[in-house]
Amino acid sequence: MTDINKVQDEIIDEFEILGDDRESTIFYIMELGNQLGAFPEEEKTEDNIIKGCQSKVWLITTTEDDKVVFHADSNTDITKGLISLLIRVMSGRTPQEIINADLYFIEKIGMGGIIGSQRSNGLAAMIKQMKFYAIAYQSKMNAL
Amino acid sequence: MSLNIQDIRASFPILHQEVNGKPLVYLDNAATTQKPLSVIEALDYYYKTDNSNIHRGAHTLADRATRKYENTRELIQKFIGAKEVEEVIFTKGTTESINLVASSFGRKFVKKGDEVIISTLEHHSNIVPWQLLCEEVGAILKVIPINDKGEIIFEEFEKLLTSKTKLVSIVHVSNALGTINPVEEIIAKAHAVGAKVMLDGAQSSSHLTIDVQKLDCDFFAFSAHKIYGPTGLGVLYGKREVLESMPPYQGGGEMIKEVSFEKTTFNEIPFKFEAGTPNIGDVIAFEKALEFVNTVGKKQIVDHENELLAYATEKLSSIKGFIPYGTADNKVSVLSFLIQGMHPFDVGMMLDAGGIAVRTGHHCTQPLMNRFRIEGTVRASFSVYNTLEEVDRLYESVSKIAKLKNK
């Protein structure tokens, strides 16, 4: 089992404990959002905004030992919570791992039903952008 | 006489459901109201029994449908106090009604250098059509400012009025803040300089008693779906002489008298403005919505909504971190607010998780939100079927949410 899937399974377990109670789930996601690491104010630029999100989401990357590290922020706490889940799964992986990632946890925890269709589109846009960054890093590494 | 709200609720099937495991509390009535069973059944009955195209059919079904369709027009005439039934034009909704006036009246009577006045409180649908018109003909769009309570500043309006003002198009009741505008005074002042006045009645039609003759407005627009009726149906009222002076809006069937390839002559009002097969089923079903309002009584409805608003305002104001927007002395049915340190989307989503439906965002009034330097608000809006217990549920949920950032 890859690390990505291990983390996904952990998240699935955590959400199972929350059960069907929508209020507790939303409060939990917000709590995760509050714990998201600080994001540099100067990076909150138009260029770093992910298109297709209802809320504002900024996403940037750094690299550590050929691994892609994601940093993100949003103007809404629930979106920050969603970002924190994605970062937990995707950040600190090799570009190939990110490109290959099958993010089954989103469906397993019933995220679509929790956040609604508009936010689901936003979430899909975030994942797409993360994979784009990974592809870009990989091409850069291959070119070296 | 106080209303029996439980009896009223019994006639709205949609209210009796759980959302996210909690009984639904529907507080998004300024966006659209729910429909009584009589409206739903009338729509069903029409398609099962009377469906046919109206006005020219030489058969019984067409005759039945035509009579019912025209009967609703007569009820609307009474509902808004119009002098004549021909002054009632069916449209797709308030937005189309405004666009009709901008396109037809606007292109004929608003010329280069003329002025159109709107206010800061306007919904986008009462801004954009005028921007498009002004850009096309070279006219100037002027905006009445508001104070911090969300009321227009009347003296500023008077300063904007000139002999060049051709039209004042203003919202009767603000959808985002609930402010009731002093429209009678506005109309009188505008008429004094020879300008016509259009009222956006999308919100006022369900929360105030409307008498277009007493108001003396030249145009009044509203939507059926905000008064317990079907979506996709609206009304434009216009004074006969004004409507008759205007060119047609769209070309097609129904709006013509005679057509030849050389020349077409147009039908009389209201048909001149009703090109194509109209929304027959929804017009017929709307009769039942008006019947519902008339049976319950507009005054009783408004009194009940005012009681809910006062109770909600008082309770929520006690919550730490609660910031109200729109505190006009004269307002109805809408409670717009923010929670200190929280985005309205988050508040809305947490309320939804507790089964409470509200609207969040800019409410299609971005210039108004900019005036308050905010992105948007959380808006709870009340209707006749809401209860004090539902306001308590709102209060409890908002309190819990506010505590997350306001300890």
Side-chain angles (χ1 to χ4, degrees):
Chain A
M1 188 183 282
T2 66
D3 283 348
I4 281 186
N5 289 354
K6 206 173 141 193
V7 175
Q8 291 198 79
D9 291 345
E10 280 169 19
I11 294 173
I12 293 165
D13 287 345
E14 288 164 18
F15 274 76
E16 240 163 46
I17 295 165
L18 292 167
D20 285 339
D21 188 75
R22 180 68 60 88
E23 247 177 325
S24 322
T25 309
I26 293 283
F27 275 75
Y28 180 65
I29 295 172
M30 272 200 64
E31 201 48 49
L32 294 175
N34 284 331
Q35 291 162 14
L36 191 68
F39 186 86
E41 279 302 313
E42 67 274 14
E43 295 288 359
K44 288 186 180 175
T45 61
E46 223 25 63
D47 283 350
N48 290 333
I49 284 185
I50 298 178
K51 308 273 181 303
C53 294
Q54 202 185 4
S55 320
K56 279 189 182 138
V57 178
W58 298 271
L59 178 72
I60 56 168
T61 54
T62 51
T63 46
E64 278 171 31
D65 306 330
D66 294 341
K67 286 178 177 160
V68 185
V69 180
F70 292 104
H71 314 267
D73 202 355
S74 171
N75 60 342
T76 81
D77 287 337
I78 288 163
T79 309
K80 277 167 84 170
L82 300 177
I83 295 169
S84 82
L85 289 172
L86 285 182
I87 286 184
R88 206 169 131 195
V89 174
M90 301 276 258
S91 192
R93 316 282 175 203
T94 65
Q96 197 57 52
E97 280 177 309
I98 295 166
I99 294 163
N100 291 345
D102 164 25
L103 300 183
Y104 56 83
F105 83 99
I106 293 168
E107 204 186 315
K108 272 270 168 71
I109 63 177
M111 191 56 83
I114 298 167
I115 61 175
S117 57
Q118 275 194 319
R119 272 201 165 84
S120 291
N121 292 340
L123 190 64
M126 276 187 242
I127 296 167
K128 206 165 127 190
Q129 192 61 34
M130 285 177 150
K131 293 204 171 199
F132 274 151
Y133 273 124
I135 292 167
Y137 270 112
Q138 199 175 45
S139 343
K140 209 163 117 189
M141 278 156 62
N142 290 344
L144 289 176
Chain B
M1 187 195 77
S2 71
L3 295 175
N4 185 334
I5 303 301
Q6 289 315 318
D7 279 358
I8 289 172
R9 289 180 69 83
S11 53
F12 287 82
I14 203 168
L15 299 175
H16 309 282
Q17 62 176 303
E18 288 200 340
V19 167
N20 299 323
K22 311 266 165 50
L24 167 67
V25 176
Y26 184 79
L27 299 178
D28 194 15
N29 295 290
T32 195
T33 56
Q34 298 302 345
K35 321 303 169 198
L37 193 58
S38 57
V39 170
I40 301 165
E41 284 177 348
L43 203 52
D44 186 58
Y45 182 88
Y46 167 74
Y47 284 114
K48 282 180 179 162
T49 318
D50 296 334
N51 178 48
S52 53
N53 211 333
I54 51 170
H55 290 144
R56 288 165 310 280
H59 57 84
T60 305
L61 294 190
D63 186 52
R64 274 206 309 248
T66 303
R67 271 192 289 117
K68 287 186 176 177
Y69 180 88
E70 291 303 329
N71 183 50
T72 302
R73 202 191 300 271
E74 283 170 29
L75 275 177
I76 293 168
Q77 179 204 351
K78 292 191 187 87
F79 186 72
I80 60 171
K83 196 169 158 194
E84 298 175 68
V85 71
E86 292 82 8
E87 295 174 324
V88 174
I89 296 161
F90 288 117
T91 64
K92 283 192 298 192
T94 307
T95 299
E96 192 186 35
S97 297
I98 298 172
N99 275 281
L100 191 163
V101 175
S103 174
S104 169
F105 175 89
R107 286 205 191 119
K108 178 154 182 196
F109 295 107
V110 181
K111 307 285 180 210
K112 194 172 184 335
D114 284 343
E115 294 164 359
V116 174
I117 297 178
I118 59 173
S119 85
T120 308
L121 291 166
E122 304 313 320
H123 188 282
H124 295 164
S125 62
N126 198 28
I127 302 173
V128 185
W130 307 115
Q131 286 176 329
L132 292 172
L133 172 72
C134 288
E135 200 165 301
E136 189 184 320
V137 303
I140 298 148
L141 189 63
K142 290 181 160 183
V143 184
I144 312 167
I146 56 166
N147 62 24
D148 290 340
K149 288 160 88 177
E151 298 162 322
I152 65 153
I153 304 168
F154 201 81
E155 305 77 63
E156 295 296 325
F157 163 64
E158 288 180 292
K159 281 185 210 159
L160 294 179
L161 268 180
T162 70
S163 57
K164 287 181 183 165
T165 311
K166 284 290 170 304
L167 186 81
V168 177
S169 187
I170 192 157
V171 71
H172 195 176
V173 167
S174 155
N175 71 309
L177 306 180
T179 311
I180 304 172
N181 274 326
V183 292
E184 282 184 62
E185 292 87 336
I186 290 172
I187 292 163
K189 289 278 174 194
H191 283 171
V193 300
K196 302 287 183 217
V197 180
M198 164 142 210
L199 295 184
D200 167 359
Q203 298 295 329
S204 66
S205 50
S206 55
H207 302 299
L208 301 176
T209 301
I210 305 299
D211 184 338
V212 290
Q213 286 188 78
K214 192 163 162 261
L215 288 169
D216 199 28
C217 55
D218 301 283
F219 300 106
F220 186 91
F222 68 98
S223 300
H225 73 96
K226 295 197 200 275
I227 328 173
Y228 316 105
T231 54
L233 173 66
V235 168
L236 172 67
Y237 156 82
K239 283 181 184 165
R240 174 183 278 278
E241 63 273 22
V242 184
L243 290 175
E244 282 179 344
S245 71
M246 289 159 51
Y249 169 51
Q250 289 175 330
E254 186 88 17
M255 53 78 71
I256 54 90
K257 197 148 110 197
E258 273 181 82
V259 175
S260 71
F261 286 117
E262 290 71 38
K263 186 176 169 57
T264 293
T265 51
F266 303 116
N267 206 337
E268 302 296 317
I269 61 164
F271 308 112
K272 183 169 85 173
F273 296 107
E274 292 180 359
T277 296
N279 190 350
I280 305 164
D282 288 326
V283 168
I284 289 172
F286 186 42
E287 181 204 338
K288 297 293 173 190
L290 294 170
E291 209 168 72
F292 168 78
V293 173
N294 291 337
T295 307
V296 178
K298 198 73 171 278
K299 189 182 178 305
Q300 277 76 11
I301 293 175
V302 175
D303 286 350
H304 176 66
E305 289 171 352
N306 286 344
E307 186 188 349
L308 293 170
L309 177 65
Y311 183 61
T313 306
E314 191 195 323
K315 286 213 84 162
L316 271 75
S317 296
S318 69
I319 297 171
K320 197 176 171 193
F322 175 82
I323 312 163
Y325 287 88
T327 49
D329 296 335
N330 211 3
K331 67 175 278 192
V332 277
S333 188
V334 165
L335 184 57
S336 234
F337 63 93
L338 283 176
I339 298 299
Q340 185 71 47
M342 297 189 81
H343 196 282
F345 287 168
D346 288 334
V347 178
M349 207 158 158
M350 282 188 283
L351 287 173
D352 178 59
I356 301 172
V358 294
R359 187 142 294 245
T360 62
H362 53 61
H363 317 298
C364 293
T365 56
Q366 279 182 327
L368 176 61
M369 297 295 118
N370 291 340
R371 159 67 179 75
F372 286 105
R373 294 188 187 83
I374 53 176
E375 259 184 76
T377 68
V378 181
R379 182 187 71 184
S381 52
F382 306 99
S383 186
V384 65
Y385 40 67
N386 291 125
T387 64
L388 293 169
E389 291 72 31
E390 288 182 316
V391 175
D392 287 335
R393 285 260 313 273
L394 174 71
Y395 165 75
E396 281 153 25
S397 289
V398 174
S399 301
K400 194 167 147 191
I401 294 162
K403 278 199 187 102
L404 291 172
K405 294 280 170 86
N406 297 275
K407 291 192 173 112

